């Protein structure tokens, strides 16, 4: 029985413990459904998200229409189907979340590894830069950046990457400081193994687990952040469908047409909750201190 447990390995053991966590599995289901919705948006969206389906008179009046058999969740003030825009908005949010965190991970892992492995001046320089980035107010940075660049997806990616890599760098640096003192790393050094080979074959595989958990949590941070800057009018611009933009444009109709804010807000809440639950579950499942 003991040999069978050993043969499972880290990932098999992590998956076993993740499956026993109902909260984490609920998060996994939510993330899977949202991803599926984003991928299949052209197929499952009932209407064109940017087409104004109301006649010209109603469109010029800017009057939203409530839910009906044709518009299941109603329309916005421009006569665009709300359900279709919410479905396409998932593609924007998830794409930004994955792209931003992929770039953050690459930059953060690189800086964290060289900081933790080489130490001394490199470590001091990288950690002080990390402290500066983490201390800088995010919204102030985005406002300053978008004062120079035009609002849009590219500007959002640049702004989020400028501050998001620091979390990865600090996490990886701490993990590398611990792993590089392990006996197998010391033995590799004694045998004359090159530094790149030690980093890629002996260190990185043993620090990847917490990075995966941070990635899931980072996606929820990016989705919420995009919604925030879009709500302030600094992010995704109309007519592109974005949950934050939809909430911002619907805020002025909150009393007469509350569905313009409630429906995209609920979808945003569920998505962020799903990634947070999955990230917390992955962190617990991949924690070596919890392994039996």
């Amino acid at each position: 029985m003991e040999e069978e447990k050993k043969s499972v390995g880290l990932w098999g053991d992590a998956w076993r413990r993740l499956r026993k966590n109902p909260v984490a599995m609920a998060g996994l289901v939510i993330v899977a459904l949202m991803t599926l919705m984003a991928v299949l948006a052209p197929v499952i969206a009932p209407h064109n998200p940017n087409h104004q389906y109301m006649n010209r008179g109603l469109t010029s009046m800017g009057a939203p229409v409530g839910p009906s058999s044709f518009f299941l969740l109603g329309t916005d003030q421009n006569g665009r189907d709300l359900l279709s825009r919410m479905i396409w908005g998932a593609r924007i949010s998830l794409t930004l979340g994955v792209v931003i965190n992929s770039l953050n991970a690459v930059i953060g892992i690189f800086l964290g590894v060289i900081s933790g492995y080489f130490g001394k001046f490199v470590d001091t320089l990288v950690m002080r830069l990390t402290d500066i980035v983490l201390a800088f107010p995010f919204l102030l940075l985005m406002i300053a950046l978008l004062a120079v660049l035009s609002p849009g997806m590219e500007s959002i990616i640049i702004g989020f990457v400028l501050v998001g890599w620091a979390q990865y760098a600090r996490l990886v640096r701490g993990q590398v400081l611990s792993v590089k003192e392990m006996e197998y790393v010391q033995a590799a050094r004694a045998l004359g193994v090159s530094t790149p080979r030690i980093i890629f074959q002996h260190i990185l595989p043993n620090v990847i687990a917490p990075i995966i958990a941070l990635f899931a949590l980072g996606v929820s941070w990016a989705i919420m952040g995009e919604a925030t800057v879009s709500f302030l009018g600094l992010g995704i611009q109309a007519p592109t469908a974005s949950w934050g933009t939809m909430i911002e444009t619907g805020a002025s109709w909150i009393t007469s047409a509350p569905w313009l804010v409630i429906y995209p807000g609920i979808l945003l809440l569920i998505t962020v909750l799903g990634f947070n639950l999955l990230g917390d579950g992955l962190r617990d499942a991949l924690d070596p201190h919890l392994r039996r």
Side-chain angles (χ1 to χ4, degrees):
M1 190 67 176
E2 188 66 26
E3 293 181 359
E4 182 179 351
K5 284 185 177 181
K6 290 182 179 180
S7 64
V8 172
L10 170 65
W11 301 109
D13 183 57
W15 172 243
R16 177 180 58 82
R17 281 191 275 115
L18 187 68
R19 285 185 301 172
K20 291 182 178 180
N21 187 341
V23 175
M25 291 306 295
L28 179 60
V29 170
I30 293 173
V31 170
L33 291 176
M34 291 300 171
T35 303
L36 190 63
M37 180 175 67
V39 172
L40 299 179
V43 177
I44 63 178
H47 303 289
N48 186 325
N50 297 325
H51 185 74
Q52 297 180 352
Y53 284 91
M54 307 303 297
N55 61 55
R56 184 169 297 180
L58 287 177
T59 301
S60 62
M61 291 171 58
V65 175
S68 64
S69 59
F70 190 71
F71 299 116
L72 297 180
L73 297 182
T75 70
D76 63 9
Q77 65 274 22
N78 294 314
R80 297 173 296 199
D81 180 49
L82 189 65
L83 176 59
S84 299
R85 292 183 63 77
M86 287 171 56
I87 293 174
W88 279 91
R91 174 171 286 196
I92 294 292
S93 296
L94 292 179
T95 299
L96 282 174
V98 172
V99 170
I100 288 171
N101 277 276
S102 297
L103 294 174
N104 285 339
V106 171
I107 298 173
I109 291 172
F110 172 76
L111 293 177
V113 167
I114 65 173
S115 175
Y117 187 81
F118 294 104
K120 298 181 180 179
F121 173 76
V122 176
D123 184 36
T124 302
L125 178 63
V126 173
M127 285 300 100
R128 297 297 75 78
L129 180 61
T130 301
D131 292 338
I132 293 173
V133 171
L134 292 176
F136 207 95
F138 168 71
L139 284 180
L140 182 60
L141 174 63
M142 292 300 297
I143 292 173
L145 177 66
L146 295 173
V148 179
L149 304 176
S150 59
M153 185 176 295
E154 296 80 5
S155 299
I156 291 177
I157 293 175
I158 294 173
F160 276 72
V161 171
L162 284 177
V163 298
W165 63 266
Q167 293 286 352
Y168 286 89
R170 176 164 287 182
L171 172 67
V172 172
R173 182 248 186 188
Q175 295 292 318
V176 171
L177 286 176
S178 175
V179 172
K180 76 174 186 178
E181 301 300 330
M182 296 294 182
E183 292 182 358
Y184 61 88
V185 176
Q186 297 295 334
R189 284 177 180 163
L191 292 173
V193 178
S194 64
T195 297
R197 186 174 178 183
I198 291 176
I199 292 176
F200 285 101
Q201 291 190 2
H202 298 288
I203 293 181
L204 279 181
N206 290 282
V207 303
I208 198 68
I211 295 175
I212 293 175
L214 180 60
F215 188 92
L217 294 170
V219 172
S220 70
W221 168 77
I223 291 175
M224 183 62 74
E226 180 274 323
T228 301
V229 296
S230 294
F231 181 79
L232 295 175
L234 302 175
I236 303 299
Q237 301 297 299
T240 303
S242 164
W243 293 339
T245 303
M246 294 171 67
I247 295 173
E248 187 271 330
T249 56
S252 58
W253 296 87
I254 189 64
T255 56
S256 58
W259 63 85
L260 296 181
V261 174
I262 293 176
Y263 293 148
I266 291 176
L267 198 57
L268 175 63
L269 172 64
I270 293 174
T271 304
V272 172
L273 178 63
F275 276 102
N276 280 334
L277 294 179
L278 178 60
D280 288 339
L282 286 172
R283 183 176 55 193
D284 294 339
L286 295 169
D287 189 346
H289 299 292
L290 297 178
R291 301 188 71 189
R292 297 290 186 267

